[in-house]
């Protein structure tokens, strides 16, 4: 039984290693696309879209192998909202000092 678990972990590690190598290859492709973008913008756009699709597939594969969600951060644009404060502290200055307020973060 332990041998099966060990072998399963080895296979998962190989899959993740393969995904990492593939990510490096995709990075090299994107560098090449940057060079081509000036000469053939439509081709560069299609290649970039294919790279995005492959990256998403790799993320899904990594999630299924590890069981952990792969975080993808989106760049958000626009104006951020004003900070929300509770009515009790709105307009008041709240102080915290480690010597005075031990364990109290208010």
């Amino acid at each position: 039984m332990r041998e099966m678990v060990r072998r399963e972990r080895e296979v998962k590690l190989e899959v993740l290693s393969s995904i990492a190598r593939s990510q490096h290859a995709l990075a090299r492709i994107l560098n090449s696309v940057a060079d081509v973008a000036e000469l053939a913008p439509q081709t560069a756009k299609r290649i970039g879209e294919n790279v995005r699709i492959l990256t998403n597939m790799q993320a899904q594969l990594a999630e299924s192998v590890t069981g952990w969600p792969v975080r993808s951060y989106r760049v958000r644009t626009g104006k951020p909202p004003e900070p929300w404060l509770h009515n009790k502290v709105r307009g008041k200055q709240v102080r915290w000092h480690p010597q005075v307020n031990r364990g109290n973060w208010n």
Side-chain angles (χ1 to χ4, degrees):
M1 185 66 173
R2 287 184 187 220
E3 181 63 26
M4 267 180 52
V5 172
R6 187 185 65 75
R7 181 65 187 137
E8 181 180 342
R9 287 182 181 167
E10 287 176 357
V11 169
K12 285 181 180 183
L13 186 59
E14 281 295 319
V15 170
L16 292 176
S17 179
S18 175
I19 291 172
R21 286 190 305 272
S22 180
Q23 281 291 303
H24 286 288
L26 289 175
R28 288 192 306 272
I29 290 170
L30 284 177
N31 283 333
S32 299
V33 168
D35 296 336
V36 173
E38 295 176 5
L39 303 174
Q42 286 293 42
T43 303
K45 186 176 180 180
R46 278 186 272 150
I47 292 172
E49 179 65 20
N50 288 337
V51 167
R52 186 188 64 77
I53 291 169
L54 285 171
T55 301
N56 290 340
M57 289 171 57
Q58 289 175 340
Q60 290 175 353
L61 182 59
E63 285 180 6
S64 68
V65 168
T66 63
W68 299 335
V70 175
R71 294 185 181 134
S72 61
Y73 297 100
R74 296 184 316 187
V75 175
R76 296 182 185 201
T77 58
K79 182 181 175 189
E82 294 294 320
W84 177 87
L85 295 174
H86 194 277
N87 289 335
K88 291 181 180 180
V89 295
R90 190 177 295 150
K92 294 182 182 179
Q93 185 176 4
V94 179
R95 293 184 181 180
W96 181 85
H97 190 276
Q99 297 296 326
V100 178
N101 303 63
R102 292 183 186 181
N104 186 4
W105 290 91
N106 292 331

